[in-house]
Structure formats: C-alpha cells, structure tokens
Amino acid sequence: MEVLMPEPQIYVERTLAIIKPDVIDKEEEIEDVILRSGFRILQKRKLQLSPEQCSNFYAEQFGKMFFPNLTAYMSSGPIVAMVLARNCAVSYWKEMLGPSNSLRARITHPHSLRALYGTDELRNGLHGSVSTSSAEKEIRFIFPEAILEPLPTGQRARDYLNLYVKPTLLAGLTALCKEKPAEPMIWLADWLIEHNPNKPKLQYRVSQQEPQQ
C-alpha cells in the first residue's frame, strides 16, 4: 500500500524593518526596493512611539552614550514598521541595510540602504533585527497580535487562547445564537474567517496606542 506522507511545513523566516522618522517621506521608494528584493510585507503599521516606548524597544542599548539621543531621534516623528518574510530574512535584510554608521556605509557599502538614506552614525534611516530571536521580540513589541513560528506551548499557549481564541469564539457563538442561520456550521466558519484577530492589517494612520509586549 502506498503510504501518504503529510506535506512538509515550510518555515518562512521573518524580520522587523523600520523606516525611521527622518526618511519616512521615502516610504514608497523603500518599499519598492524591499519587494523587488524578494521580500513579502506581511504586516505594516505607521505609528509614533513615545520616548518611553523607544527606551523599552532599545532596552539592550541602555547605558550607552548615544542612548538618550537614540530615543529622542526615534520618538521625534512617525515611523513605518513592517514584518518582512523570505528565506533567511534576517541576514538578507541586514545585508541590504549595511553598517549601522551611515558615514562608514558610504565607504564600505555604497549601495546599501543606510548609505543611500542615512545621515550619520545615529540617523541611519532604517532599522533591522540583528537575529531571529531579536526579530521575534521586536515583532511582538510592535505587532502584539502577530503569530510567530514556532507556535507557543505551555503557559504561552494558554495565555494566547485566553487572550484571543476564547473571546473570539464566544463572540462568534453569541452572534450565531442571535442570527439562527439555516447552515450554522458554515455561517460560523465564515464569521470566524471574517473576524480573525490575527488577520494582517495595514494601518496607515498615526497611532498613539502603546504597544504591548
């Protein structure tokens, strides 16, 4: 007998990209470069972070001389955050960005994005996650509703079910009881698809809502 094997599950790596306040007017131009480089933009959000939120986001840099200037720079205006996906997304995006110091990038990597859009060591125009673990942490900071692989287990899974799945399912069942459709299972399935809390949403308006970690 022929044994039917399940289709392989392909893990697509994700990374966080941020267009910083001083180059936000180049948003469309930069997005075009991203898409032509083989990335998919899974989620996108335009927002403005407070100095406190920037301090939390760059917590690993706390104590360094440039930290106050960094938080002031990143909170000085709106940013555009994007979740990018492709094979080896973290390393490809880091390669496209070039060195963090834009002045050095112009010498060593003249075609990199920071060489093209950055100003100096601090105002380098764009952000990218330095590792897959940093990418997961940063994506959850900016997009707290995102589902990242591998899927959570244990207490993290229970927290996720209580926060997102149970409230959505309860709302769907309540709506089903009120509607009383002829085909309840099909109706509920359509309702859940429409009200999926993890459906990627493009947000172009500036949001002052504090991200949750």
Side-chain angles (χ1 to χ4, degrees), residues 68-116:
N69 290 333
L70 175 63
T71 56
Y73 163 50
M74 289 300 294
S75 61
S76 63
I79 62 171
V80 173
M82 294 171 284
V83 179
L84 308 184
R86 63 158 293 166
N87 182 42
C88 300
V90 172
S91 59
Y92 271 109
W93 182 236
K94 285 170 61 180
E95 182 180 350
M96 287 179 62
L97 289 177
S100 59
N101 186 330
S102 296
L103 299 178
R104 185 181 301 119
R106 292 193 184 102
I107 299 172
T108 61
H109 299 72
H111 300 294
S112 66
L113 294 178
R114 284 173 174 156
L116 297 173

Side-chain angles (χ1 to χ4, degrees), residues 141-154:
F141 186 93
I142 301 294
F143 300 93
E145 77 284 1
I147 296 180
L148 301 178
E149 296 181 31
L151 295 178
T153 58

Side-chain angles (χ1 to χ4, degrees), residues 2-206:
E2 181 181 357
V3 179
L4 298 178
M5 299 295 293
E7 294 185 3
Q9 300 297 310
I10 301 175
Y11 171 71
V12 179
E13 191 171 280
R14 306 179 189 188
T15 191
L16 182 72
I18 293 179
I19 301 176
K20 297 183 179 182
D22 53 325
V23 294
I24 200 168
D25 59 321
K26 302 291 185 180
E27 175 186 350
E28 292 186 7
E29 184 177 315
I30 293 171
E31 284 184 26
D32 183 60
V33 173
I34 290 171
L35 294 173
R36 286 191 287 106
S37 299
F39 288 95
R40 291 193 62 187
I41 301 175
L42 300 184
Q43 290 181 277
K44 175 180 172 181
R45 184 183 180 194
K46 187 174 183 179
L47 70 161
Q48 183 163 354
L49 298 175
S50 68
E52 292 75 19
Q53 290 170 322
C54 292
S55 296
N56 291 331
F57 185 81
Y58 287 106
E60 294 181 359
Q61 306 292 340
F62 182 78
K64 296 184 178 180
M65 292 288 292
F66 60 81
F67 186 77
N69 290 333
L70 175 63
T71 56
Y73 163 50
M74 289 300 294
S75 61
S76 63
I79 62 171
V80 173
M82 294 171 284
V83 179
L84 308 184
R86 63 158 293 166
N87 182 42
C88 300
V90 172
S91 59
Y92 271 109
W93 182 236
K94 285 170 61 180
E95 182 180 350
M96 287 179 62
L97 289 177
S100 59
N101 186 330
S102 296
L103 299 178
R104 185 181 301 119
R106 292 193 184 102
I107 299 172
T108 61
H109 299 72
H111 300 294
S112 66
L113 294 178
R114 284 173 174 156
L116 297 173
Y117 296 103
T119 302
D120 52 35
E121 182 177 4
L122 177 66
R123 295 171 294 170
N124 58 13
L126 295 144
H127 169 84
S129 304
V130 298
S131 65
T132 53
S133 59
S134 294
E136 178 179 349
K137 179 181 177 181
E138 292 174 355
I139 291 171
R140 289 191 186 280
F141 186 93
I142 301 294
F143 300 93
E145 77 284 1
I147 296 180
L148 301 178
E149 296 181 31
L151 295 178
T153 58
Q155 185 59 46
R156 287 181 63 192
R158 288 189 289 273
D159 291 343
Y160 178 83
L161 290 172
N162 290 330
L163 185 60
Y164 294 110
V165 177
K166 289 182 180 179
T168 303
L169 186 57
L170 178 60
L173 292 173
T174 301
L176 175 67
C177 293
K178 292 180 179 179
E179 187 71 21
K180 296 182 174 61
E183 299 288 343
M185 294 298 293
I186 295 176
W187 187 94
L188 181 60
D190 290 339
W191 189 96
L192 291 173
I193 291 173
E194 177 65 25
H195 296 82
N196 177 7
N198 295 295
K199 183 186 298 183
K201 299 176 182 178
L202 300 184
Q203 301 183 25
Y204 291 95
R205 62 183 179 83
V206 176

